[in-house]
Amino acid sequence: MSQEQLAVYEVFIRSNRGLDHKHVGSLHAESPEHALMYARDCYIRRSEGVSIWVVESTNITASQEDDIESFVDPMDDKPYRHATHYVLPDNVTGM
Amino acid sequence: MQTLDKDEAVEQATFDQRISDEQKIEPTDWMPDDYRKNLIRQMSQHAHSEVIGMQPEGNWITRAPTLRRKAVLLSKVQDEAGHGLYLYSATESLGITRSQMIDALQSGKAKYASIFNYPTLTWADIGAIGWLVDGAAIVNQITLQRTSYGPYARAMVRICKEESFHQRQGYEIMTVLAHGTQVQKQMAQDAMNRNWWPSLMMFGPHDSESAHSSRSMGWKIKRMSNDDLRQKFIDQTVPQIEALGLDMPDPLIKWNEERGHYDSGEINWEEFYQVINGAGPCNYQRIKHHKAAHSEGEWVREAVRSYRQKQQDKKTENAA
Ligand SMILES: [Fe+2]
Ligand SMILES: [Fe+2]
């Protein structure tokens, strides 16, 4: 069986307790359990993480970078959503 | 997700070790039942506060004095809705469902910050809320970025980042009013006076009276006591009141050189318990509105469910 007939899994690793899982790469595997073992062998050889998530790539719904302008409004016209937009008097601190 | 079964005593020891090592507890970890219950109580209460807190501010969106103020207020209220979502999702990781939490809120079993049971009588209340209420929330939330439950801590980091403009927009409103006409200045003073005490109450009862406090501190769910957080808030806020040129909302506020903190008067705890237990000026209205909004939105959830069912039926049909 060629690699391409196996499902692709995306691998996410939590490098330390308390942190988010981060995407680190992908691999081919025949089952989620298999993918988890592969991920362990491929991505955690130097204590890079304490927890692994594997997700079959086809289960990920992604936005397209080409569409990003029409899909995601960066809200650049709303500077008032940032704290720096509001000027405080010099004698006011702790905000 | 699954974890291996281990002897409970070993699990407890591992848990205790993690807490004492400042390690986070993650959803798949074993945790004591009471730790889980305590987190569900605190986190869902926090989520409910974000959501109910939209009502007093929402009251002024259509009446904001300028288009800019309206856009700012809309953005802020929108953020609070998002904060509710982050917190409900993080709470769900402890094994409670969204509908269970909403039931608890609507039946009065779960609480939310009592400050939101006060009315927003004038535009200056919007300034006072952003400045004092969000200010008090931020003091608390900054320490909660180090809470021991991972999903809660991460939600707090995200929320603190977004909170950054909430307090400043409120203070800006107050600054403009405090430097405006005599009537505007009076409006600012009045809104501050009314919101001051309920803001101090947001930190909860005195440490000596707080039922959950010491246990939560032991588990590092809470990182600073109610009284210490309240003092921190008072110390940072008094100079901000002075900068506005307003009179102190409490005549007993006075710098204490020896303590290195501001002294202040005693909170009316009778009022605090009355409002917490449902007798505040707006308790009834807040829950009534939440129920109405929730049931008016039912057709949307219904539509989503039936669309999903249709898609699934189509799939099985095609597969057959
Ligand atoms: Fe918030
Ligand atoms: Fe806020």
Side-chain angles (χ1 to χ4, degrees):
Chain A
M1 184 158 54
S2 78
Q3 287 263 297
E4 284 64 37
Q5 283 168 293
L6 295 173
V8 178
Y9 285 83
E10 301 298 328
V11 181
F12 300 81
I13 291 188
R14 185 203 296 288
S15 61
N16 236 320
R17 284 177 163 275
L19 301 178
D20 291 310
H21 284 78
K22 278 224 170 75
H23 185 240
V24 291
S26 54
L27 45 77
H28 293 270
E30 53 83 14
S31 69
E33 292 75 18
H34 185 199
L36 201 57
M37 285 194 282
Y38 258 10
R40 173 199 63 196
D41 297 343
C42 297
Y43 289 104
I44 306 193
R45 292 193 306 276
R46 295 172 191 81
S47 58
E48 287 93 339
V50 294
S51 164
I52 310 170
W53 284 351
V54 288
V55 182
E56 214 181 309
S57 304
T58 52
N59 284 330
I60 292 178
T61 309
S63 66
Q64 295 302 314
E65 195 149 345
D66 297 345
D67 300 345
I68 204 82
E69 265 168 50
S70 56
F71 185 64
V72 182
D73 181 352
M75 306 279 173
D76 289 339
D77 57 338
K78 296 183 168 62
Y80 50 81
R81 287 190 168 175
H82 300 272
T84 45
H85 176 73
Y86 305 88
V87 187
L88 295 176
D90 289 340
N91 56 348
V92 171
T93 53
M95 225 179 275
Chain B
M1 290 191 208
Q2 290 176 339
T3 46
L4 296 175
D5 279 316
K6 259 198 250 164
D7 182 30
E8 187 149 323
V10 178
E11 299 280 25
Q12 178 75 52
T14 311
F15 173 85
D16 293 342
Q17 193 59 46
R18 279 182 184 145
I19 296 290
S20 93
D21 289 349
E22 290 288 325
Q23 298 244 356
K24 299 293 180 219
I25 306 301
E26 295 294 348
T28 51
D29 294 339
W30 182 92
M31 60 187 91
D33 271 355
D34 283 345
Y35 176 81
R36 188 186 298 273
K37 273 189 209 141
N38 216 292
L39 271 174
I40 289 176
R41 184 189 51 78
Q42 179 173 332
M43 291 170 70
S44 64
Q45 182 173 318
H46 198 158
H48 298 325
S49 302
E50 302 282 357
V51 169
I52 296 292
M54 288 191 283
Q55 289 188 41
E57 291 188 303
N59 182 36
W60 280 92
I61 290 175
T62 56
R63 294 179 289 159
T66 68
L67 189 56
R68 174 172 174 273
R69 292 283 182 219
K70 183 175 181 170
V72 170
L73 185 56
L74 259 175
S75 281
K76 179 188 187 292
V77 172
Q78 196 181 18
D79 275 359
E80 307 302 2
H83 297 173
L85 175 73
Y86 302 162
L87 285 162
Y88 281 129
S89 305
T91 316
E92 283 168 49
S93 72
L94 290 159
I96 187 169
T97 66
R98 187 80 57 102
S99 18
Q100 282 173 317
M101 287 188 270
I102 289 174
D103 278 350
L105 169 69
Q106 295 189 341
S107 68
K109 226 180 90 200
K111 308 286 181 208
Y112 53 87
S114 65
I115 180 88
F116 301 124
N117 289 316
Y118 292 84
T120 38
L121 300 179
T122 69
W123 170 250
D125 282 79
I126 299 306
I129 286 180
W131 169 39
L132 299 173
V133 178
D134 287 70
I138 292 167
V139 165
N140 187 34
Q141 288 174 165
I142 282 175
T143 67
L144 286 175
Q145 293 180 107
R146 296 188 300 115
T147 190
S148 59
Y149 187 54
Y152 195 20
R154 290 189 288 277
M156 279 302 117
V157 171
R158 215 152 283 142
I159 286 175
C160 281
K161 231 182 252 167
E162 297 184 357
E163 285 290 348
S164 62
F165 93 81
H166 296 184
Q167 193 185 15
R168 281 175 172 234
Q169 64 85 32
Y171 196 72
E172 191 191 64
I173 291 173
M174 293 301 276
T175 308
V176 170
L177 292 173
H179 295 99
T181 64
Q182 199 49 42
V183 175
Q184 287 173 323
K185 188 171 176 182
Q186 192 45 49
M187 219 164 90
Q189 179 76 51
D190 168 63
M192 180 187 69
N193 290 353
R194 280 185 290 105
N195 284 282
W196 174 255
W197 294 106
S199 297
L200 296 188
M201 292 178 197
M202 283 174 71
F203 296 100
H206 280 311
D207 298 343
S208 51
E209 306 290 320
S210 176
H212 309 283
S213 223
S214 66
R215 230 170 31 153
S216 288
M217 295 278 283
W219 278 323
K220 297 184 180 171
I221 293 175
K222 274 181 78 90
R223 301 310 308 254
M224 216 171 164
S225 79
N226 294 354
D227 287 328
D228 288 349
L229 287 165
R230 186 163 24 235
Q231 183 70 62
K232 197 167 187 256
F233 173 71
I234 293 171
D235 288 347
Q236 82 173 33
T237 308
V238 170
Q240 295 165 0
I241 300 173
E242 282 166 352
L244 288 173
L246 297 178
D247 296 333
M248 288 298 150
D250 167 6
L252 295 178
I253 288 176
K254 193 168 173 266
W255 179 249
N256 184 325
E257 192 65 55
E258 210 174 297
R259 291 202 309 128
H261 292 292
Y262 284 96
D263 289 337
S264 55
E266 189 57 34
I267 289 168
N268 180 347
W269 292 110
E270 202 179 315
E271 177 184 329
F272 171 78
Y273 287 109
Q274 260 177 18
V275 178
I276 281 274
N277 292 320
C282 301
N283 296 56
Y284 175 75
Q285 185 188 333
R286 299 293 183 241
I287 293 300
K288 188 178 159 204
H289 183 72
H290 190 278
K291 283 180 182 166
H294 196 65
S295 67
E296 278 161 24
E298 178 55 27
W299 70 271
V300 179
R301 292 187 293 276
E302 177 61 39
V304 171
R305 280 193 298 269
S306 61
Y307 178 75
R308 180 162 159 262
Q309 191 57 50
K310 260 192 195 163
Q311 295 299 310
Q312 276 171 353
D313 292 349
K314 243 190 222 164
K315 245 187 208 165
T316 29
E317 224 171 83
N318 289 345

